[in-house]
Amino acid sequence: MAAPPPLERAENILGVPLHRTEITLESGEPYDEGASYALSQHFYGKDGELRNAIRNMTRFLAAFARQRQDSQKDAAVLYSLLGNLHYIAGNFNESANCAMRAASLNRSDITYWVELAFSLRALGEFDVFEGILFNFEGIVRLWQQSTAPDLTKEALLSLIKEAKS
Amino acid sequence: MENHAILVKDYVPRSFGKEYWNVKGPPQYPMFAAVALGLKPVMDDWVDVHDYERLADACAAYGLVMAPDIVFAPVEGSKEGIIGGRNITTTYSRGEKFTGQNTEGQVHILIARDKQAASDARKWAWYSLVINGRSTNKPFVDHLRYGKCLGYPPCCVNFFRTYNNWHLFSNPFETLKNTAFENGNAIGSHYCNNFLMDKGYSYIHHLPCSYRCKASTALAQELEKKLDTLEPAFIQTANRLLRKPLLVFGEQHFAIFDGELQKTAGGASISYRACQYFRNPSRPEENIAFFDEIQAGDALVMNDSHILIKDGTTTIRKAERKKEWFLIDFD
């Protein structure tokens, strides 16, 4: 029997119903905070449960990334969910790293850029936050054309600079 | 009824917080006082870009600092075509970076006793502004963090967590449903009456979890006690206005009466000498069409399905009642 889809497995691990669809620049849809909302409602203020959820998701994601290197979009969704858990826990460096990893694995979905922007805002990096939001489409398009393998903080700052110019 | 007097007039401070009031006027005067008196950690506010420095000076006079966030710039036209337009209210703003050289709009600011507290609060203070045709909501958990930062009681933050969705819930109605009724008393405590906050008369600036919330009452009483020694005329005016009965239509949308509420088995009624209508500026589509008749009448009866407006013994209007509308009095 085939394993259930990764999002379904994540739902089982976290005990939260989750809904994710890819949101692109072309779709004309805004960032969907549905998953972030569901996870916040379930885990905010429950530190022990949240720590367990982060540990279990991290393990699941590591195994998934090893076994399913062909499924980058699914891995991106899982990184995003893990990032959301870190964000709720107040681990903003980790949530920013997850968002950058997700944006590296799937360059179409704008969700990860919004998650990255708010993680950086939570770290007090207001200029970078505004740099992303005020140049949103430009940055996403530049990243889609970029040949860099991974989105890093340095790459992000270059994208903002280039999008502004 | 012939009396069309304005019930709620602006209070002008005689001394405490006058510098703030001179720039900003009444809306958040009590919250400024609460931060200045060390009763509230942080407040957020908006100031015209041209008045930014004046407000910074007013804050400094009370040992407070401001952290600027972003400029809410005016927008003309409908929200159609905006990505995420469903998540913003009918009247919305365009986001513009604060440069100190902006020519129009209101700067969103955080006011606190130290820079760190203001900057920390700013992290969670994002509002869904439109930037380049796109509106972006903040992560939901930021609402909860922000409420905590602003010193809101945990019970009220938790209540907000459940009923924050204005597409699904009328927050005041949910608060009413969560209020334990005490026989022989008014429905709510004036300490938890936040309806007049935009006119500067409220001891709290959050949506209380109940109109008898103990934590909100404690915060309000602390502010009342301290401000009474510095600006007693404000306290007298606020306590008088905050006890007046209201007909509530929704958030920031209500009528206030100079009159008395009577509770009956099938509903409630108000006989009144004067009344005043407050509309929610963000949701003009919710304005009611029959306020002129309320003003022309002298009594109002609310039952499960209708509002009857009377002038003497004559019913001058029978309006269908939405279930989330309610009458409330305060002691």
Side-chain angles (χ1 to χ4, degrees):
Chain A
M1 197 171 74
L7 187 62
E8 200 177 310
R9 291 180 65 191
E11 286 181 327
N12 292 336
I13 289 167
L14 300 173
V16 181
L18 299 164
H19 171 76
R20 288 297 286 260
T21 47
E22 187 176 78
I23 299 178
T24 63
L25 287 178
E26 292 70 29
S27 71
E29 290 291 321
Y31 161 65
D32 176 4
E33 74 270 40
S36 148
Y37 179 84
L39 292 170
S40 298
Q41 289 286 21
H42 192 83
F43 288 111
Y44 183 70
K46 297 177 190 165
D47 293 350
E49 280 185 44
L50 185 53
R51 267 196 305 276
N52 285 340
I54 289 172
R55 194 181 56 227
N56 293 337
M57 265 303 287
T58 305
R59 281 182 190 158
F60 171 54
L61 183 49
F64 183 86
R66 266 199 315 274
Q67 292 157 13
R68 296 287 308 274
Q69 289 176 6
D70 58 323
S71 188
Q72 296 206 338
K73 284 194 174 184
D74 286 334
V77 169
L78 297 178
Y79 270 109
S80 163
L81 293 176
L82 179 60
N84 273 281
L85 292 172
H86 277 303
Y87 192 90
I88 295 162
N91 310 327
F92 303 116
N93 277 314
E94 287 82 350
S95 63
N97 287 335
C98 284
M100 286 195 283
R101 188 80 193 109
S104 304
L105 290 165
N106 180 357
R107 300 189 184 210
S108 306
D109 198 332
I110 63 162
T111 303
Y112 315 127
W113 287 95
V114 175
E115 291 171 350
L116 175 58
F118 281 100
S119 294
L120 295 169
R121 185 179 173 101
L123 288 165
E125 297 199 37
F126 299 108
D127 287 344
V128 188
F129 169 84
E130 290 184 358
I132 296 174
L133 255 64
F134 280 92
N135 303 283
F136 196 80
E137 293 207 14
I139 289 172
V140 175
R141 289 197 197 288
L142 283 170
W143 179 238
Q144 286 170 352
Q145 292 155 15
S146 167
T147 54
D150 292 308
L151 181 62
T152 59
K153 183 74 182 297
E154 292 68 33
L156 168 65
L157 297 177
S158 299
L159 290 169
I160 293 173
K161 199 172 166 188
E162 201 179 337
K164 276 182 183 170
S165 62
Chain B
M1 186 181 67
E2 295 301 317
N3 187 351
H4 297 306
I6 293 173
L7 285 178
V8 185
K9 292 177 186 158
D10 289 350
Y11 176 81
V12 183
R14 281 127 171 101
S15 92
F16 190 81
K18 201 171 172 57
E19 300 85 343
Y20 169 85
W21 196 97
N22 286 342
V23 184
K24 279 294 312 178
Q28 290 222 62
Y29 170 69
M31 293 306 102
F32 178 81
V35 179
L37 293 168
L39 301 172
K40 182 177 167 69
V42 185
M43 67 180 279
D44 75 341
D45 207 343
W46 285 261
V47 62
D48 189 282
V49 291
H50 302 104
D51 290 330
Y52 181 81
E53 291 301 333
R54 278 179 70 212
L55 188 61
D57 291 344
C59 288
Y62 291 83
L64 303 177
V65 293
M66 289 189 346
D69 183 23
I70 197 159
V71 176
F72 285 50
V75 178
E76 281 174 17
S78 88
K79 61 179 188 176
E80 242 175 78
I82 290 170
I83 298 171
R86 184 181 174 272
N87 301 324
I88 53 177
T89 50
T90 308
T91 54
Y92 63 94
S93 300
R94 179 173 53 82
E96 204 176 87
K97 284 184 198 184
F98 175 69
T99 59
Q101 310 296 318
N102 307 74
T103 55
E104 58 174 3
Q106 303 277 321
V107 196
H108 181 223
I109 49 164
L110 288 307
I111 300 175
R113 297 195 73 81
D114 64 84
K115 250 196 157 60
Q116 192 59 49
S119 182
D120 283 346
R122 186 185 168 197
K123 292 173 183 174
W124 327 119
W126 178 253
Y127 284 82
S128 298
L129 295 167
V130 175
I131 298 172
N132 297 330
R134 179 182 291 275
S135 158
T136 304
N137 283 350
K138 64 184 173 188
F140 178 70
V141 70
D142 285 8
H143 289 285
L144 311 178
R145 291 188 168 122
Y146 197 36
K148 193 176 170 188
C149 245
L150 295 172
Y152 299 163
C155 50
C156 302
V157 173
N158 210 33
F159 190 78
F160 171 85
R161 178 179 179 172
T162 311
Y163 296 109
N164 74 306
N165 188 335
W166 55 269
H167 292 295
L168 300 177
F169 300 109
S170 159
N171 220 304
F173 185 53
E174 296 305 326
T175 300
L176 179 78
K177 288 196 287 183
N178 198 39
T179 302
F181 296 103
E182 298 166 1
N183 271 342
N185 286 335
I187 297 166
S189 158
H190 74 287
Y191 291 120
C192 300
N193 179 354
N194 68 338
F195 286 95
L196 289 171
M197 66 184 180
D198 288 338
K199 290 297 286 179
Y201 297 110
S202 178
Y203 293 114
I204 58 171
H205 207 79
H206 61 270
L207 301 164
C209 63
S210 127
Y211 291 116
R212 289 204 173 271
C213 167
K214 288 193 169 81
S216 298
T217 300
L219 289 177
Q221 285 174 331
E222 260 191 293
L223 177 57
E224 180 193 40
K225 191 176 162 192
K226 281 206 173 181
L227 198 49
D228 194 30
T229 62
L230 299 161
E231 195 67 29
F234 172 78
I235 299 299
Q236 282 163 24
T237 312
N239 286 348
R240 178 175 54 79
L241 290 171
L242 291 172
R243 288 186 168 96
K244 293 199 179 293
L246 309 174
L247 166 58
V248 178
F249 303 107
E251 214 172 296
Q252 295 179 59
H253 185 201
F254 60 95
I256 184 169
F257 296 89
D258 182 18
E260 291 77 37
L261 181 78
Q262 293 97 34
K263 287 152 219 151
T264 59
S269 64
I270 290 181
S271 48
Y272 52 92
R273 296 167 286 281
C275 58
Q276 192 175 345
Y277 181 42
F278 291 87
R279 297 162 179 85
N280 184 329
S282 301
R283 300 179 208 160
E285 69 279 9
E286 293 177 2
N287 289 352
I288 56 153
F290 53 86
F291 183 71
D292 284 349
E293 279 117 317
I294 294 180
Q295 205 161 37
D298 61 11
L300 187 148
V301 179
M302 180 180 263
N303 60 34
D304 281 347
S305 55
H306 289 92
I307 291 176
L308 307 178
I309 302 162
K310 296 182 173 242
D311 185 12
T313 53
T314 311
T315 298
I316 55 175
R317 173 84 184 233
K318 183 178 181 183
E320 219 166 278
R321 174 204 173 179
K322 289 189 180 170
K323 72 168 174 39
E324 67 270 22
W325 294 356
F326 60 92
L327 291 168
I328 185 168
D329 58 351
F330 300 92
D331 56 25

